[in-house]
């Protein structure tokens, strides 16, 4: 998927990735997005951390240092506010997706999935 | 665990270009280090040798300038509040000064009318409104700024107060008239100190992009204001100085406060 298209949904994708296996550190979040989406969401890795930090500054996720295998990592978890935002974003996205699908299905020669 | 020289080299490059400072800077570098180490381990697990794995991890995270450029510092709520208060102080002080000048046109003494007294009081209270946030910013950021930063805040505050005071005393006629020549000398000296200290602080912290241009512009503007003051055009010089200090001081305060509260 084109990176420009991903950018508009990056905050939601990261919230979802953090929620899927919290607490998760940055690399695990990126790897999880790549693996779960079968490579569709192959993110610009350096761009992810500033967005995670912005989500934290907005109170949607929290973080703490963890030490594992002699390596210090910052692990992220969703806050209550973040869960609420993710629910809203998911509802918005499903509504949007259903709308687009409905319109595409009206085109007889288009194969929709 | 032994340090990976390729990763450490890339971190040094990123660190050199990062515009965030303090504990947040340490956190950013630590997170990127952990990320690069994890990515290297993952690549080794896929069958790559150590150097190639690290090179791949570095390529995937991005160049030093691309990575560092994304960590843009932002103004904190406290800084926004301080800038707002300082700007309000400048607006009130300028407006009350002009109003007092009109009211005082017939030479009426202080207390001769309620309106004149109120305008007089608003003018001086607004000076405190301007000074307080600047002092608060200094107290908040003194640890990171060093001597040059501390001196620049004090000198900028003094310069702003001196410009306003000069305007009140000699043009606004708000009932306090120190010797104008002495006042001009004070303004010039304080302004020069403020410029030099600001230069040293901006250069040291590199909190402002294109700092040499900012510095040259600020210096030229201050010289122009002081030239007007020395020529005796007190009113226009002081008002121009106020505007300059409002804009420059706000930009400066934003630069000071553009540290994320994250750590």
């Amino acid at each position: 998927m084109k990176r420009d298209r991903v950018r508009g949904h990056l905050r939601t994708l990261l919230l979802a990735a953090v929620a899927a296996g919290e607490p998760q550190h940055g690399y695990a979040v990126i790897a999880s997005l790549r693996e779960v989406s079968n490579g569709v969401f192959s993110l610009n890795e350096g761009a992810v951390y500033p967005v995670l930090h912005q989500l934290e500054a907005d109170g949607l996720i929290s973080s703490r240092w963890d030490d594992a295998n002699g390596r210090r990592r910052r692990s992220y978890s969703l806050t209550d506010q973040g869960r609420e935002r993710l629910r809203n974003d998911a509802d918005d996205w499903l509504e949007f997706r259903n709308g687009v699908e409905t319109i595409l299905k009206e085109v007889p020669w288009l194969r929709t999935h | 665990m032994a340090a990976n020289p390729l990763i450490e080299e890339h971190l040094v490059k990123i660190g050199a270009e990062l515009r965030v400072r303090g504990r947040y800077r340490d956190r950013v570098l630590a997170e990127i280090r952990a990320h690069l180490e994890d990515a290297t381990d993952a690549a080794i697990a896929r069958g790559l040798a150590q150097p190639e794995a690290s090179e791949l991890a570095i390529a995937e995270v991005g160049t030093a300038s691309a990575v560092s450029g994304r960590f843009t510092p932002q103004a904190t709520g406290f800084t926004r509040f301080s800038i707002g208060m300082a700007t309000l102080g400048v607006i009130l002080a300028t407006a009350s000064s002009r109003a007092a000048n009109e009211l005082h046109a017939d030479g009426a003494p202080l207390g001769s009318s309620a309106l004149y007294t109120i305008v007089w009081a608003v003018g001086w209270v607004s000076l405190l409104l301007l000074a307080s946030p600047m002092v608060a910013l200094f107290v908040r950021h003194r640890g990171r700024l060093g001597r040059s930063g501390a001196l620049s805040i004090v000198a900028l505050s003094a310069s702003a107060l001196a410009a306003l005071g000069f305007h009140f005393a000699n043009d606004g006629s708000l009932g306090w008239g120190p010797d104008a020549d002495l006042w001009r000398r004070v303004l010039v000296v304080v302004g020069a100190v403020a410029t030099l200290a600001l230069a040293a602080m901006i250069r040291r912290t590199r909190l402002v992009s294109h700092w040499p241009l900012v510095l040259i512009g600020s210096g030229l503007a201050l010289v122009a204001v002081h030239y007007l003051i020395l020529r005796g055009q007190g009113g226009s010089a002081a008002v121009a100085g106020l505007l300059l200090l409002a804009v420059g001081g706000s930009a400066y305060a934003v630069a000071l406060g553009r540290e994320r509260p994250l750590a």
Side-chain angles (χ1 to χ4, degrees):
Chain A
M1 182 175 278
K2 288 182 178 175
R3 279 182 172 161
D4 281 352
R5 197 174 295 172
V6 174
R7 197 175 298 152
H9 303 287
L10 189 53
R11 285 169 64 95
T12 304
L13 290 172
L14 290 177
L15 283 177
V18 171
E22 56 185 326
Q24 290 213 80
H25 53 85
Y27 182 78
V29 168
I30 295 165
S32 152
L33 273 176
R34 186 169 48 226
E35 285 161 20
V36 171
S37 70
N38 288 323
V40 173
F41 297 132
S42 185
L43 301 177
N44 189 334
E45 296 180 5
V48 168
Y49 289 94
V51 181
L52 283 172
H53 295 177
Q54 189 58 56
L55 289 171
E56 187 179 350
D58 292 343
L60 301 177
I61 58 176
S62 60
S63 72
R64 66 165 196 269
W65 288 113
D66 283 334
D67 288 302
N69 304 324
R71 192 169 290 172
R72 197 161 174 253
R73 295 190 184 93
R74 193 83 178 182
S75 292
Y76 295 91
S77 303
L78 247 63
T79 62
D80 290 342
Q81 194 183 341
R83 287 179 214 290
E84 186 62 29
R85 174 65 63 84
L86 184 56
R87 270 192 209 99
N88 292 336
D89 285 356
D91 289 344
D92 287 347
W93 170 254
L94 290 174
E95 188 181 4
F96 177 76
R97 188 195 69 178
N98 290 338
V100 171
E101 271 186 6
T102 305
I103 290 169
L104 293 178
K105 279 177 183 169
E106 292 299 309
V107 183
W109 51 269
L110 263 181
R111 284 190 308 153
T112 55
H113 302 284
Chain B
M1 189 171 285
N4 182 319
L6 285 175
I7 290 176
E8 294 307 315
E9 186 184 337
H10 197 53
L11 286 170
V12 169
K13 289 179 190 168
I14 292 171
E17 298 195 31
L18 266 180
R19 287 168 53 209
V20 296
R21 295 288 182 266
R23 284 190 298 168
Y24 181 52
R25 172 192 172 85
D26 297 340
R27 169 184 167 170
V28 167
L29 291 172
E31 277 198 276
I32 295 172
R33 174 182 282 111
H35 176 96
L36 290 170
E37 289 171 348
D38 285 340
T40 299
D41 288 350
I44 289 171
R46 293 199 300 270
L48 267 65
Q50 167 99 38
E52 286 76 24
S54 293
E55 283 168 8
L56 179 65
I58 288 167
E60 285 179 346
V61 85
T63 63
S65 53
V67 172
S68 58
R70 292 193 177 95
F71 291 97
T72 308
Q74 291 188 337
T76 62
F78 176 83
T79 304
R80 290 195 198 100
F81 175 76
S82 299
I83 294 168
M85 291 292 282
T87 307
L88 183 63
V90 167
I91 292 168
L92 278 177
T94 308
S96 58
S97 168
R98 301 318 302 170
N101 202 21
E102 295 299 320
L103 292 169
H104 191 65
D106 59 358
L110 180 65
S112 59
S113 78
L115 183 60
Y116 184 37
T117 307
I118 289 170
V119 168
W120 183 89
V122 168
W124 287 106
V125 168
S126 61
L127 280 181
L128 294 176
L129 207 59
L130 171 66
S132 302
M134 296 297 277
V135 172
L137 278 170
F138 161 63
V139 170
R140 188 180 177 87
H141 296 285
R142 67 189 185 285
R144 192 172 62 249
L145 293 174
R147 274 179 297 185
S148 59
L151 183 61
S152 65
I153 288 225
V154 171
L156 266 177
S157 305
S159 194
L161 290 173
L164 276 164
F166 182 76
H167 191 36
F168 281 154
N170 296 283
D171 299 285
S173 304
L174 285 183
W176 179 44
D179 179 70
D181 286 335
L182 175 65
W183 206 252
R184 287 190 187 102
R185 286 191 203 105
V186 169
L187 265 177
V188 171
V189 171
V190 169
V193 172
T195 307
L196 291 173
L198 188 61
M201 194 285 300
I202 291 176
R203 188 170 187 277
R204 193 179 76 85
T205 59
R206 296 180 64 193
L207 285 174
V208 182
S209 298
H210 311 298
W211 63 266
L213 289 177
V214 173
L215 202 57
I216 291 168
S218 306
L220 288 176
L222 269 172
V223 168
V225 167
H226 288 145
Y227 175 75
L228 287 173
I229 291 169
L230 288 170
R231 287 284 302 272
Q233 298 170 19
S236 54
V239 171
L242 279 181
L243 292 175
L244 171 74
L245 287 163
V247 174
S250 295
Y252 178 69
V254 168
L256 290 180
R258 281 171 65 136
E259 293 286 311
R260 283 177 190 275
L262 302 171

